[in-house]
Amino acid sequence: MDIALVPPLMVSTGFLPTGSLLQSLIHICNEVCSTEKLPVLQARNISTMIRRIKLLTSLFEEIQESNGPLPPSSILCLTELFSVIRRAKFLIQDCKDGSFLWGLMQTELVSNQFYVLVKELGRALDILPLSLLKVTADIREQIELLHRQAKRVELCIDLKELERREELLVLMGSNSEKNKKNKGFIDLVKVKDILCSIGLRNTMDYEEETLKLEAEAHKQAGSGGLIVVSNIHNLTSLVSYCKSIIFIDDEFEKPSKEDLKVQSTPSNRYYDHSSSSQSLIPNVPDEFRCPISLDLMKDPVIVASGHTYDRNSIAQWINSGHQTCPKSGQKLIHMALIPNYALKSLMQQWCEENNVPQVQSSPSSSSDLERSNSKRDLYEHAVDHISVVKAAVDAVKLTAEFLVGKLATGSPDIQKQAAYELRLLAKTGMDNRRIIAEAGAIPFLVTLLRSHEPRIQENAVTALLNLSIYNNNKILIMAAGAIDSIVNVLESGNTMEARENAAAAIFSLSMIDDCKVTIGKRPRAIPALVGLLKEGTPAGKKDAAIALFNLAVYNANKVSVVFAGAVPLLIELLMDDKAGITDEALAVLALLLGCSEGLEEIGKSRILVPILIDLLRFGSPKGKENSITLLLGLCKDGGEEVARRLLMNPRSIPSLQGLGADGSLKARRKADALLRLLNRCCFQSQNQIG
């Protein structure tokens, strides 16, 4: 072996010098062991982990005091131990700073993470040459005992935590039809006891928990899925409601004697003390008010952004053409309205306890006249708004039917204009897209894809793209046999815009799994996307890359993407700043690692590794994740060759260490794995050289 390829000093200088490594180990161990106010959840796993780390601290301190040379295997062990302890620190910190309720729901997952870390600690100690280290007999015996315990450790899940979680889920499940009929609402006393048992004891705890749950929902929005986010929002609603009811006496001032007399009736239990004693208004918790109408919600639903609205209010908002969340302004990635059963159950309980009907009654006192008038105006405005929406829907129906008739029987010029009008009409509003499809536009638009007139073809494919955003229309478009015609436009459309919109249409259609299969089976579809990846404008290249990514999610399509010649083009686009599709190209390459043909083709590139190293430092968070995924995959399957090229690059180890410290959780894990792999490679190379 050429010694220059693997510098012998990489074991010590590539990661940390021996002195610095020991100092870092002692420092991070002290940080873990000095953790204060341990959480109630995972208490046994956390305390056991801290005890193990304390034992290791004594070992590290004795090794440091001996100030003697260390065998290579001990350096490898210490490096792996540093990685394990650092991850243990992050995990303990997450348990301490994260949401207690979400931690309770994830108790098996978190317990398993502790179990995995202890197992990795045991594997690291497998290669620790205790007999060669200058440590006392007591320390040696303690570490040997720790090693044996780590090797035979079993998964530890706190049964009390499981019981608490099951009790809470049963209580939250009281919104089922059976329970509703029996008036079985959530038992606040039991809920309070459960929340108290996991560390939520006062209003401050409840407020902090609400903030933590909202942060968790935001974090899970990109990867956890709609159901996970919905579950977290249900927990948030539960905490907010319990806080407003359990700690009601802490929230408001003590009432006057006159108020106490009035409060003797059950229906006047809660009041808005910001108003005078003459205007006793039921104090509806903010969580139960629709952010649009500000009234008590009748049917709470969750939109894609995670916020809850009354079904009628948000439906009117969406039907009027809006595609954003009214509260956050965030664009809605879908228009599904998910029932918020947990909040609805809490609202029913609140109404039951306070004798408040589901439809809020109008105020009766004379001092509420102004409020009553404003509510009446709001109601009248809402009625007017519904009338306007209905009129608009009827107008869209008439327009769509008229335009479809022109598509069917008009001259080419009229067809061009009709296709253009439908393209614009389908650009906004899910109702518009549904109505246009119901009017029978899709088969005629598919026919126009074969037109030799550039504008007719361009308008037709763009109209189909806009219509495909509505999920039901995807099935109708595929059933109309559109895919072959769309591929024809993609491959040899009359204008570049038509080709690019055809690529976007393929991406939209391939959101449905069955469509991925159907499109992938068309022999010209994937090569046509690769062709646009080479010839298109920056926007067209991005459309093509996203479509290829979506198709490559289906395993059988990966090989077709590789054979179509996508890999060299994608690598080339990583260096093209003008194209601006670095993240998209990385995502496709990372997917293609999943097939042997893709791995082989990616491994042929001599320029990819340096590019990926630079992207570890300067890429976006998602780009860094995909870059480390590619490097780790290449090293695992490409073996020593890729590892050598990484080790020879002076920027690789610092970049990996930086990502391991500051990257996302996924990126940190993969960076740690790659560092361990490179460290083993160095160790094996030194043994061969020796």
Side-chain angles (χ1 to χ4, degrees):
M1 180 181 290
D2 188 349
I3 296 177
L5 289 177
V6 184
L9 293 176
M10 280 303 295
V11 172
S12 58
T13 61
F15 297 91
L16 281 173
T18 304
S20 300
L21 177 58
L22 285 169
Q23 189 60 43
S24 298
L25 279 165
I26 294 170
H27 177 72
I28 197 171
C29 286
N30 288 334
E31 283 186 335
V32 174
C33 296
S34 62
T35 304
E36 297 178 352
K37 295 182 181 178
L38 297 180
V40 177
L41 296 177
Q42 298 295 333
R44 184 176 176 184
N45 281 322
I46 292 174
S47 60
T48 306
M49 178 64 74
I50 291 176
R51 180 179 57 80
R52 291 186 173 108
I53 292 173
K54 280 182 179 178
L55 290 175
L56 289 172
T57 306
S58 302
L59 171 68
F60 303 147
E61 288 174 346
E62 285 212 0
I63 294 174
Q64 187 182 46
E65 289 172 4
S66 67
N67 202 24
L70 298 177
S73 59
S74 66
I75 298 175
L76 176 60
C77 172
L78 295 177
T79 304
E80 299 235 9
L81 286 174
F82 181 81
S83 173
V84 172
I85 295 169
R86 184 174 62 182
R87 282 182 287 150
K89 173 190 169 185
F90 290 142
L91 183 56
I92 293 171
Q93 200 67 37
D94 285 344
C95 291
K96 182 182 175 184
D97 297 339
S99 162
F100 292 158
L101 264 179
W102 187 240
L104 183 65
M105 296 299 160
Q106 301 287 306
T107 186
E108 294 104 327
L109 177 63
V110 178
S111 298
N112 187 66
Q113 290 175 329
F114 278 104
Y115 170 74
V116 169
L117 285 175
V118 177
K119 281 294 186 184
E120 289 190 17
L121 186 146
R123 285 195 290 271
L125 291 175
D126 285 342
I127 56 173
L128 179 66
L130 266 176
S131 59
L132 301 179
L133 298 177
K134 295 179 181 179
V135 295
T136 62
D138 287 344
I139 293 296
R140 183 176 289 109
E141 288 178 6
Q142 290 176 359
I143 299 303
E144 287 173 349
L145 177 61
L146 173 61
H147 185 199
R148 289 194 298 271
Q149 290 174 344
K151 296 296 287 185
R152 62 172 184 263
V153 71
E154 295 182 355
L155 178 63
C156 174
I157 301 176
D158 192 327
L159 295 180
K160 289 184 179 179
E161 291 180 13
L162 292 179
E163 290 173 5
R164 289 173 192 148
R165 184 184 66 184
E166 292 307 312
E167 288 177 6
L168 187 61
L169 290 174
V170 169
L171 291 170
M172 291 181 66
S174 63
N175 64 324
S176 65
E177 290 299 324
K178 181 178 178 181
N179 284 340
K180 286 178 185 175
K181 291 177 182 178
N182 297 330
K183 304 294 183 184
F185 296 108
I186 290 178
D187 187 336
L188 283 176
V189 175
K190 288 185 178 179
V191 173
K192 181 182 178 181
D193 289 342
I194 294 171
L195 297 183
C196 184
S197 71
I198 63 172
L200 305 181
R201 297 183 175 88
N202 53 48
T203 54
M204 185 65 70
D205 292 337
Y206 278 63
E207 289 171 3
E208 289 180 0
E209 180 67 13
T210 302
L211 293 174
K212 291 174 182 178
L213 284 168
E214 289 174 353
E216 186 66 37
H218 181 72
K219 184 172 73 174
Q220 294 284 349
S223 58
L226 183 61
I227 295 176
V228 172
V229 175
S230 175
N231 289 338
I232 296 173
H233 282 292
N234 288 341
L235 293 173
T236 307
S237 300
L238 174 70
V239 174
S240 299
Y241 173 73
C242 290
K243 172 182 172 290
S244 65
I245 299 302
I246 294 171
F247 299 103
I248 189 70
D249 294 335
D250 298 333
E251 295 292 322
F252 300 105
E253 299 174 7
K254 292 183 178 180
S256 63
K257 291 182 179 179
E258 290 76 9
D259 291 335
L260 287 172
K261 291 178 182 178
V262 180
Q263 288 180 18
S264 61
T265 58
S267 60
N268 293 323
R269 184 173 173 185
Y270 299 109
Y271 300 97
D272 184 352
H273 289 264
S274 62
S275 60
S276 67
S277 60
Q278 298 294 322
S279 55
L280 300 174
I281 304 166
N283 182 34
V284 180
D286 289 341
E287 297 79 20
F288 298 166
R289 296 181 185 272
C290 174
I292 296 175
S293 67
L294 302 180
D295 288 331
L296 179 67
M297 289 184 280
K298 300 176 186 176
D299 187 7
V301 293
I302 302 171
V303 298
S305 65
H307 292 289
T308 297
Y309 300 92
D310 186 70
R311 183 182 292 276
N312 285 340
S313 297
I314 192 63
Q316 291 173 21
W317 171 268
I318 293 173
N319 289 339
S320 63
H322 296 288
Q323 299 182 40
T324 57
C325 171
K327 192 170 182 180
S328 67
Q330 177 184 346
K331 186 173 182 180
L332 301 176
I333 59 175
H334 61 76
M335 300 300 164
L337 303 179
I338 310 299
N340 193 336
Y341 292 120
L343 182 61
K344 190 170 186 178
S345 176
L346 294 171
M347 289 167 53
Q348 288 174 331
Q349 179 177 358
W350 184 85
C351 291
E352 179 79 7
E353 290 178 349
N354 297 283
N355 291 335
V356 176
Q358 286 294 297
V359 179
Q360 190 170 340
S361 58
S362 59
S364 57
S365 64
S366 59
S367 60
D368 290 334
L369 182 60
E370 184 179 347
R371 179 185 291 269
S372 177
N373 288 337
S374 65
K375 285 193 173 184
R376 185 174 65 251
D377 293 342
L378 181 63
Y379 174 75
E380 290 172 355
H381 173 73
V383 172
D384 291 342
H385 181 64
I386 293 171
S387 301
V388 170
V389 170
K390 186 177 185 304
V393 169
D394 291 340
V396 171
K397 286 181 181 178
L398 291 173
T399 304
E401 291 168 358
F402 173 77
L403 293 173
V404 170
K406 296 301 180 183
L407 285 182
T409 60
S411 65
D413 285 341
I414 291 176
Q415 286 180 328
K416 177 174 70 175
Q417 187 61 31
Y420 177 73
E421 294 294 337
L422 285 171
R423 167 184 177 174
L424 294 180
L425 193 60
K427 192 173 182 179
T428 56
M430 287 296 179
D431 265 347
N432 289 5
R433 297 172 184 129
R434 174 181 57 81
I435 292 167
I436 292 169
E438 289 173 353
I442 289 174
F444 295 108
L445 290 170
V446 171
T447 301
L448 293 180
L449 293 177
R450 296 190 289 270
S451 172
H452 296 293
E453 211 289 317
R455 291 301 168 195
I456 291 180
Q457 185 187 72
E458 182 182 305
N459 290 332
V461 74
T462 308
L464 287 170
L465 164 62
N466 293 338
L467 289 172
S468 71
I469 297 172
Y470 183 60
N471 277 337
N472 287 352
N473 288 349
K474 290 179 171 65
I475 299 169
L476 297 176
I477 292 170
M478 295 295 291
I483 193 61
D484 287 324
S485 297
I486 292 175
V487 171
N488 285 336
V489 176
L490 172 64
E491 193 175 41
S492 55
N494 295 321
T495 66
M496 183 56 72
E497 184 176 350
R499 294 180 62 190
E500 291 171 354
N501 287 341
I506 287 178
F507 162 70
S508 178
L509 294 171
S510 63
M511 297 293 288
I512 297 178
D513 289 341
D514 289 344
C515 295
K516 290 182 177 70
V517 180
T518 303
I519 295 170
K521 286 181 178 179
R522 297 298 195 275
R524 294 182 296 117
I526 289 175
L529 286 170
V530 174
L532 185 62
L533 198 64
K534 182 178 181 180
E535 303 165 2
T537 65
K541 290 178 179 180
K542 187 168 187 175
D543 288 334
I546 294 173
L548 286 171
F549 174 86
N550 226 29
L551 291 173
V553 170
Y554 179 60
N555 284 328
N557 290 337
K558 290 183 174 68
V559 178
S560 300
V561 175
V562 175
F563 287 165
V567 171
L569 286 173
L570 291 167
I571 294 174
E572 186 179 329
L573 286 169
L574 294 178
M575 299 181 291
D576 187 352
D577 293 334
K578 293 181 180 179
I581 63 167
T582 300
D583 285 352
E584 289 78 8
L586 283 170
V588 179
L589 288 170
L591 265 184
L592 296 181
L593 275 180
C595 69
S596 56
E597 293 84 357
L599 178 62
E600 181 182 355
E601 190 66 24
I602 293 170
K604 290 178 182 178
S605 173
R606 303 294 299 180
I607 62 172
L608 180 59
V609 170
I611 295 173
L612 295 176
I613 292 170
D614 287 339
L615 289 171
L616 289 180
R617 302 171 65 196
F618 306 116
S620 67
K622 195 65 182 175
K624 290 178 180 179
E625 283 187 12
N626 285 321
S627 296
I628 191 66
T629 298
L630 282 163
L631 287 171
L632 184 58
L634 289 170
C635 282
K636 281 183 175 178
D637 296 290
E640 294 183 359
E641 171 63 24
V642 178
R644 284 197 208 98
R645 283 152 58 188
L646 265 177
L647 292 170
M648 289 174 65
N649 191 313
R651 300 188 302 275
S652 60
I653 300 300
S655 298
L656 289 171
Q657 289 176 330
L659 188 62
D662 304 323
S664 64
L665 179 60
K666 183 177 178 182
R668 290 202 307 263
R669 288 174 179 168
K670 293 191 175 183
D672 285 341
L674 185 52
L675 281 170
R676 291 198 299 274
L677 192 152
L678 294 177
N679 208 14
R680 290 193 189 99
C681 180
C682 290
F683 178 62
Q684 292 168 2
S685 300
Q686 276 200 327
N687 286 343
Q688 292 174 11
I689 294 169

